[in-house]
Amino acid sequence: MAADPTPDTRIDMLYLSEPEVIAAGMKDMERCMEVMEEVLVLVAKGDYRMAGSSANSHGAQIGFPSSSPFPTMPLDAADRRFMAMPAYLGGRFDVAGVKWYGSNVDNRDKGLPRSIHLIVLNDKETGAPFAIMSGNLESAYRTAAVPGAAAKKLASVNAKSLGIIGPGAMNKSALHAMTTARPTLDTIRINGRRRSTSEAFAAYVKAHYPQFTTIEIAETVEEAVRDSDIVSEAVTGLVGSENYPYIDGDWIKPGAFLSLPANLRMDKEYTTSGKARLIADAKKIYEAWAEEYPSPSHETAFGMIGLYWQDLIDAGELDESRVVNIGDVFDGTAVGREFDEQPVLFSVGGMGVEDVAWAKTVYENAVAKGIGTTLKLWDAPDLV
């Protein structure tokens, strides 16, 4: 029988709303941590591509001016931007996609998240989209699962105390990750810019995490850091060191694990001394940031501590070998700690490869469970 000479050109996409991604396992933190470990090993080996000429750019961003002659143009404000984070990830994922979002801190006054995310997954050969889904929980969970996976590897096995700096949405998902990594946690210290946000976070902990028998409001960052086995710092906001929270190395408990996915300032001497182990989600993304936003990038572009390390490397003040990839630690290529009591500083910049990996996993779950709505792009393209 002759083959049908007419190719099948129909393209369908699976649409998943936020309730549907939840039903498909988006909030399965333990599984997300396992997936992120796989992702970070692939990244350390180089089996991925992201934006920019180096294939390591965080993404493409639209920012806004401080003033404009155009009356409808948005003006610069804390975290006001639009951003696309495209990526291809190899290994068993073998998928391309993009996370696209708009962000504005003032959204919170409207009862909305600071950032609103959408994810599209594409066939690697044709480029055709095959999934489109709500991305806020995906972004939150993969962001938390990365340090969660690192904490499972590197935090004290008997960790009891958790310090929270920045009691917002990012640290709510981080709380889920850290308690998954270390169910031994029973004490939490919460520091926020306003006592009201700290108290609201404390109420959230009390309602959802009964394992915490001691819940304290820390009036200062120091109170949240001292004596904590794990610290999660997640303070966003304006660029510039005067706007970043500060952690003194002398406050850090021996052997502590610090998850650092947001703005932070630390002392140069402590950073370069070898007292703490410096571990990054992926060194190359900080190198790419430093190329796009020349030194001092940490001061003028982004406040993540890994970019501060890169500034010091570029200035010849920190040996490049002092910073290691967590993927290399996961697969045994690099050691986690150089001595038992060495604190670990873990910089988390976030990467599009993480988004497409967790989104692909959730998509596969949704297909298996029959969740979602099929949307037709076309039966046949009008223009070829």
Side-chain angles (χ1 to χ4, degrees), residues 332-351:
T333 306
V335 299
R337 285 183 174 80
E338 296 162 304
F339 52 90
D340 289 343
E341 296 298 296
Q342 188 177 36
V344 170
L345 308 183
F346 182 47
S347 180
V348 187
M351 295 178 284

Side-chain angles (χ1 to χ4, degrees), residues 295-316:
S295 183
S297 310
H298 179 256
E299 176 66 26
T300 61
F302 302 100
M304 286 161 293
I305 200 67
L307 205 48
Y308 177 59
W309 301 343
Q310 188 61 45
D311 283 342
L312 292 175
I313 290 169
D314 290 343

Side-chain angles (χ1 to χ4, degrees), residues 213-260:
T213 55
T214 301
I215 302 173
E216 301 174 355
I217 303 298
E219 298 295 341
T220 64
V221 171
E222 180 178 357
E223 289 177 28
V225 173
R226 279 197 185 275
D227 299 322
S228 290
D229 298 307
I230 300 174
V231 175
S232 180
E233 184 275 327
V235 177
T236 58
L238 296 173
V239 171
S241 60
E242 70 278 8
N243 301 304
Y244 305 158
Y246 172 75
I247 292 178
D248 189 313
D250 290 341
W251 304 342
I252 300 172
K253 183 177 180 178
F257 174 85
L258 279 70
S259 168
L260 309 172

Side-chain angles (χ1 to χ4, degrees), residues 43 48 50 54-58 280-292 304 307 310 325 347-351 354:
V43 169
Y48 71 99
M50 294 193 296
S54 70
N56 286 292
S57 177
H58 187 66
D281 46 356
K283 293 165 63 173
K284 286 186 178 295
I285 66 170
Y286 302 99
E287 294 171 4
W289 260 317
E291 290 176 2
E292 294 173 28
M304 286 161 293
L307 205 48
Q310 188 61 45
N325 286 323
S347 180
V348 187
M351 295 178 284
E354 297 158 356

Side-chain angles (χ1 to χ4, degrees), residues 13-282:
M13 303 171 288
L14 186 67
Y15 170 72
L16 297 169
S17 67
E18 183 167 273
E20 287 168 333
V21 297
I22 293 172
M26 183 67 81
K27 296 171 77 173
D28 184 347
M29 182 60 79
E30 186 169 6
R31 179 62 182 143
C32 190
M33 286 163 54
E34 292 170 353
V35 168
M36 290 305 106
E37 182 171 339
E38 288 184 73
V39 171
L40 292 162
V41 170
L42 288 170
V43 169
K45 293 181 181 301
D47 193 3
Y48 71 99
R49 302 290 289 177
M50 294 193 296
S53 59
S54 70
N56 286 292
S57 177
H58 187 66
Q61 177 175 311
I62 302 172
F64 295 98
S66 58
S67 63
S68 172
F70 306 104
T72 60
M73 182 174 286
L75 299 181
D76 186 34
D79 280 316
R80 175 172 282 177
R81 65 187 184 276
F82 291 95
M83 192 160 194
M85 296 174 63
Y88 164 79
L89 182 65
R92 69 176 182 84
F93 301 98
D94 198 27
V95 66
V98 63
K99 180 170 75 177
W100 166 246
Y101 67 94
S103 183
N104 187 350
V105 163
D106 292 340
N107 283 356
R108 291 166 178 161
D109 297 333
K110 302 175 183 179
L112 295 170
R114 173 180 59 85
S115 298
I116 300 174
H117 302 259
L118 190 72
I119 294 173
V120 179
L121 298 178
N122 300 77
D123 181 271
K124 69 168 184 177
E125 298 295 341
T126 66
F130 64 83
I132 181 169
M133 69 183 73
S134 171
N136 275 61
L137 286 173
E138 186 284 329
S139 188
Y141 271 73
R142 69 82 164 155
T143 298
V146 169
K152 189 173 182 178
K153 178 76 173 179
L154 295 169
S156 169
V157 293
N158 297 312
K160 297 291 186 183
S161 51
L162 171 65
I164 291 290
I165 304 165
M170 194 184 302
N171 259 332
K172 282 185 178 178
S173 52
L175 179 61
H176 191 170
M178 295 307 168
T179 52
T180 300
R182 289 293 178 264
T184 51
L185 290 167
D186 62 19
T187 297
I188 188 167
R189 305 180 181 96
I190 306 161
N191 172 258
R193 289 181 176 133
R194 298 183 301 277
R195 188 176 180 88
S196 59
T197 58
S198 297
E199 290 174 345
F201 196 92
Y204 175 82
V205 174
K206 186 174 182 179
H208 296 280
Y209 295 89
Q211 71 193 70
F212 287 102
T213 55
T214 301
I215 302 173
E216 301 174 355
I217 303 298
E219 298 295 341
T220 64
V221 171
E222 180 178 357
E223 289 177 28
V225 173
R226 279 197 185 275
D227 299 322
S228 290
D229 298 307
I230 300 174
V231 175
S232 180
E233 184 275 327
V235 177
T236 58
L238 296 173
V239 171
S241 60
E242 70 278 8
N243 301 304
Y244 305 158
Y246 172 75
I247 292 178
D248 189 313
D250 290 341
W251 304 342
I252 300 172
K253 183 177 180 178
F257 174 85
L258 279 70
S259 168
L260 309 172
N263 296 341
L264 182 66
R265 182 166 52 92
M266 293 192 74
D267 180 76
K268 182 193 302 184
E269 189 280 328
Y270 183 80
T271 302
T272 59
S273 67
K275 293 177 182 177
R277 187 64 160 151
L278 310 183
I279 299 181
D281 46 356

